Amino acid sequence: MQNNYQSRTLTQHISALKKEKNAVILAHYYQDAPIQEIADFVGDSLELSRKAAEVEASIIVFAGVHFMGETAKILNPNKKVLIPDLEAGCSLADSCSPAAFERAKELYPDHVFVTYINCSAEVKALSDIICTSANAEKIILSIPESKKIFFSPDKNLGNYLISKTKRELTLWDGVCIVHEAFSIEKTISLLKEYPQAKLLVHPESEMHLLNIADYIGSTSAMIRYVREDSATDYLIGTESGIIHQMAKLVPKKRLIPIPIHENNTCACSECAFMKVNTLEKLLACLENESPEIQLDPQIQQRAIRPLERMLSLS
Ligand code: 13P
Ligand code: SF4
């Protein structure tokens, strides 16, 4: 943990380099607070995709995970896209290799392949349409009822979509390790401790948690909810980085991250992939203009279609 002085100096360096190199920093809500603070734009997966497509600066520094940097490159291929650490993966993207995805397409040739944005560029290139948690329901409902749908790679989001849309979806067997870590027992105990609190849960979570939630939504929808709702206490069922933005908007409300299974010493759930990014790495990647997202131009061209389909529908 850097102290405030170091963090301020790092921030000053990053700001100066950003100007000098005509770069913009895009950050996901799950980034550490100092990264969110230095970013030009903070958002959820959908907002960040839209923003990445519109960037006019020469360099996009994507403070998020690898598939997000790839998405920015697909949507804005003439920009240099940098990410602070190439190790920033995602359990969902990792669960879905292009080879296995191609086999699924062979097994289900008459299905429309709707794929969650948390996947590699290669898998996007093989998909019919992409969605995020903010627009998944709308995307599913945009597909004619006569068509069968294969949804990958998040089975929890898939099960949520089945319950919301009443459509039959064939599901890939992938999960987000962060949202799977939440403990239903500990959450119920916490609700007893704060009986007036509302439970907000991200749809990447398991059904038993969704069943007891007061509100289910994407990260941006959860932020909107705490801003507009009249309650004062909330239990937050998603990655704890989101609390930084919420606390800025509703400083007087109590925001409590829900507990995870094993780790009794930690009250909250953090995505280890998101948290590999640091201010130091952000500065280094701007200085060195590396690591840079490089994509096969053919993959890039094929992956843009399902992403543009999503953007035109949302
Ligand atoms: P959203 O930002 O779309 O809510 O997704 C959450 C997430 O897990 C991103 O990796
Ligand atoms: Fe992937 Fe889950 Fe981390 Fe999001 S929170 S990047 S879905 S592992």
Side-chain angles (χ1 to χ4, degrees):
M1 253 281 162
Q2 69 252 345
N3 62 36
N4 280 345
Y5 173 74
Q6 285 170 315
S7 159
R8 221 176 21 249
T9 327
L10 277 168
T11 305
Q12 283 162 356
H13 272 111
I14 292 169
S15 298
L17 261 184
K18 211 171 61 159
K19 248 191 226 142
E20 187 189 313
K21 300 208 173 191
N22 189 23
V24 291
I25 300 175
L26 306 184
H28 190 268
Y29 291 127
Y30 294 166
Q31 291 296 287
D32 275 331
I35 296 183
Q36 293 190 38
E37 285 303 303
I38 188 85
D40 296 285
F41 181 81
V42 186
D44 73 356
S45 307
L46 180 61
E47 294 163 340
L48 287 165
S49 303
R50 282 205 194 102
K51 203 73 193 173
E54 289 167 3
V55 165
E56 285 180 3
S58 324
I59 297 178
I60 298 172
V61 182
F62 211 116
V65 290
H66 191 263
F67 77 80
M68 295 179 173
E70 282 189 337
T71 306
K73 184 73 188 173
I74 296 164
L75 289 168
N76 207 339
N78 296 325
K79 306 298 172 192
K80 184 177 264 192
V81 179
L82 308 174
I83 60 169
D85 191 327
L86 282 176
E87 296 300 309
C90 168
S91 64
L92 283 167
D94 291 348
S95 75
C96 190
S97 74
F101 194 84
E102 267 181 322
R103 277 198 298 280
K105 285 188 67 172
E106 281 160 21
L107 282 172
Y108 299 92
D110 55 346
H111 284 54
V112 176
F113 276 69
V114 181
T115 311
Y116 194 33
I117 199 162
N118 298 39
C119 65
S120 66
E122 289 84 350
V123 168
K124 285 187 178 74
L126 293 163
S127 301
D128 293 306
I129 186 160
I130 302 300
C131 70
T132 75
S133 53
N135 60 21
E137 195 180 332
K138 198 171 186 180
I139 301 283
I140 295 292
L141 291 173
S142 76
I143 296 164
E145 283 195 36
S146 56
K147 301 264 188 198
K148 294 177 185 164
I149 300 173
F150 193 102
F151 185 79
S152 358
D154 188 347
K155 69 173 176 191
N156 289 327
L157 177 60
N159 279 319
Y160 170 69
L161 291 170
I162 292 171
S163 73
K164 282 293 280 185
T165 64
K166 311 291 174 224
R167 296 289 293 270
E168 264 181 47
L169 310 182
T170 305
L171 302 180
W172 191 272
D173 189 15
V175 295
C176 161
I177 48 167
V178 178
H179 292 85
E180 278 260 316
F182 294 132
S183 159
I184 179 89
E185 294 82 11
K186 290 185 188 175
T187 301
I188 290 170
S189 305
L190 204 56
L191 278 169
K192 285 185 186 141
E193 217 179 302
Y194 299 96
Q196 73 287 18
K198 284 191 175 168
L199 173 63
L200 275 46
V201 178
H202 195 281
E204 286 175 13
S205 310
E206 292 173 284
M207 192 52 81
H208 57 203
L209 209 51
L210 301 185
N211 285 340
I212 61 163
D214 293 290
Y215 181 73
I216 301 165
S218 65
T219 48
S220 54
M222 285 165 99
I223 291 172
R224 215 166 28 245
Y225 189 89
V226 293
R227 201 183 57 208
E228 290 167 6
D229 185 61
S230 60
T232 54
D233 295 0
Y234 299 89
L235 306 188
I236 307 298
T238 193
E239 213 272 0
S240 55
I242 197 175
I243 291 179
H244 178 65
Q245 288 299 323
M246 288 178 169
K248 280 171 71 173
L249 290 168
V250 289
K252 296 206 170 97
K253 293 192 178 189
R254 194 185 342 227
L255 305 161
I256 308 165
I258 64 169
I260 57 170
H261 290 301
E262 275 103 358
N263 190 350
N264 291 319
T265 56
C266 174
C268 59
S269 197
E270 292 196 337
C271 173
F273 298 114
M274 288 277 182
K275 269 27 184 200
V276 295
N277 295 331
T278 59
L279 282 181
E280 285 86 350
K281 289 180 192 173
L282 200 60
L283 175 60
C285 100
L286 259 173
E287 268 169 353
N288 307 326
E289 298 192 19
S290 165
E292 182 183 352
I293 298 284
Q294 307 272 11
L295 289 177
D296 174 330
Q298 280 190 340
I299 300 282
Q300 199 168 309
Q301 270 164 24
R302 277 192 280 141
I304 200 164
R305 266 175 299 171
L307 273 167
E308 283 182 343
R309 264 182 217 132
M310 168 187 85
L311 292 176
S312 71
L313 276 169
S314 40

